[in-house]
Amino acid sequence: MSFLVLLLALWVEKFSSWRKRIQHDGPWLRLLTTLEGKPQWAERPWLALGVLVLVPLLLLGLLLLLLKPVAYGWLALPVHLLVVIYSLGRGDLLAALGPFRDSWRRGDAEAAYLVARRDLSLEADDEAALLQSVQGHLVWQAYQSFFAVIFWYALLGPLAALAYRLIALASEHASQPTLREAAVQVRHGFDWLPVRVLAASFALVGNFAGVSRALLHELLSWDISAAQLVIITARAAGETPEPVIGEAGVSSLDGLWQLLVRAAVFWYAVFAVWTLLI
């Protein structure tokens, strides 16, 4: 059933507008605001984070437990699908990159700076740094929006996928520094394994030698962030050229996107074989 859910999730992601209808964070964000507004919770960030994450997981677990004996468990399939879709990243990455790509292609650096700040919340000191920031944004958003969720769902099921997204939301939206730092630490732990699996995937679908050199010294490091690791290995795997303005710069973004697509196809193929064998 898990592989079917992932196929359906991919179809929903690419060919329908259901994702926007399903990804409503309002109730959860109101709970976050309520907890942050109470001093007794603000002083206990780990307890607050536990409530924000574990309560939804408990409710989901109880629902799946109730559905498990009904119709051989197939009634749980739509629940799995809804959870996976909800757990995917927010927004349309390619659509958000569109204005920047247009500005960069025609060589309008000033417009590229403006749309990068407006649409991607990115700033840089020069053109080369700006394109590198956008390249990194593309890779990181693809990882945290899709690959990390798919990894945890395939490995541990919908509870793990939902936990990843809730922790990510807490790290992005928490206004209390202590709560945000707690969420960032937990997210770092969640990212440690899948980001290295993705880096290994880059080696298999891209430049193996380049990824090996980039990954060798950081493979077991706890200190390097997931964003740094996935961006470094993606650039090495895609043999990304030096940043330049114009069509060549846009082509570097296309090359990284194609690398991500190949890695996604590889993951689906591995999961399909795994499903057949177990």
Side-chain angles (χ1 to χ4, degrees):
M1 184 174 70
S2 296
F3 185 65
L4 177 59
V5 168
L6 291 180
L7 288 178
L8 291 173
L10 186 62
W11 182 87
V12 170
E13 164 71 11
K14 298 299 180 184
F15 303 110
S16 80
S17 60
W18 292 359
R19 177 177 168 186
K20 294 180 180 179
R21 301 175 185 175
I22 293 170
Q23 292 180 332
H24 290 295
D25 300 322
W28 188 88
L29 291 176
R30 285 193 291 273
L31 176 61
L32 171 63
T33 302
T34 300
L35 293 182
E36 288 186 315
K38 296 181 178 180
Q40 63 269 33
W41 290 102
E43 295 171 0
R44 299 175 176 86
W46 288 101
L47 182 59
L49 183 62
V51 171
L52 289 167
V53 176
L54 295 180
V55 170
L57 294 186
L58 178 61
L59 295 175
L60 175 60
L62 289 174
L63 177 60
L64 292 173
L65 190 63
L66 292 173
L67 292 176
K68 186 176 181 180
V70 182
Y72 300 100
W74 282 101
L75 285 182
L77 188 147
V79 178
H80 281 235
L81 180 59
L82 289 173
V83 170
V84 169
I85 294 171
Y86 177 81
S87 300
L88 296 174
R90 302 317 187 235
D92 188 328
L93 177 57
L94 292 183
L97 285 172
F100 175 84
R101 288 167 55 91
D102 293 339
S103 301
W104 200 262
R105 179 180 287 109
R106 64 176 182 264
D108 190 345
E110 183 176 354
Y113 277 105
L114 292 175
V115 296
R117 184 184 303 114
R118 182 194 67 193
D119 299 339
L120 309 176
S121 301
L122 296 176
E123 296 189 22
D125 296 329
D126 53 52
E127 295 173 2
L130 180 62
L131 181 58
Q132 289 178 334
S133 296
V134 174
Q135 291 169 347
H137 177 82
L138 169 64
V139 174
W140 168 246
Q141 291 301 321
Y143 162 76
Q144 70 89 23
S145 294
F146 180 78
F147 285 97
V149 175
I150 296 303
F151 176 88
W152 286 116
Y153 176 76
L155 188 65
L156 296 177
L159 293 176
L162 180 60
Y164 180 84
R165 183 50 54 203
L166 294 179
I167 290 168
L169 289 173
S171 68
E172 294 164 3
H173 294 283
S175 58
Q176 292 287 345
T178 53
L179 177 57
R180 184 170 59 251
E181 179 59 28
V184 168
Q185 291 181 35
V186 176
R187 187 178 186 180
H188 181 68
F190 261 86
D191 281 326
W192 193 90
L193 182 57
V195 79
R196 282 159 176 78
V197 174
L198 180 57
S201 306
F202 286 158
L204 295 173
V205 301
N207 184 334
F208 186 89
V211 174
S212 298
R213 289 192 296 269
L215 189 60
L216 182 61
H217 300 294
E218 306 292 354
L219 181 61
L220 300 178
S221 173
W222 180 259
D223 296 326
I224 187 171
S225 71
Q228 287 177 297
L229 185 63
V230 75
I231 292 168
I232 291 171
T233 54
R235 285 177 175 154
E239 300 178 276
T240 306
E242 291 297 316
V244 293
I245 196 166
E247 185 64 38
V250 175
S251 296
S252 70
L253 294 175
D254 293 336
L256 288 171
W257 181 253
Q258 291 304 315
L259 175 72
L260 291 163
V261 170
R262 293 197 302 272
V265 171
F266 175 77
W267 276 34
Y268 268 80
V270 169
F271 191 40
V273 173
W274 180 23
T275 303
L276 291 174
L277 293 177
I278 59 175

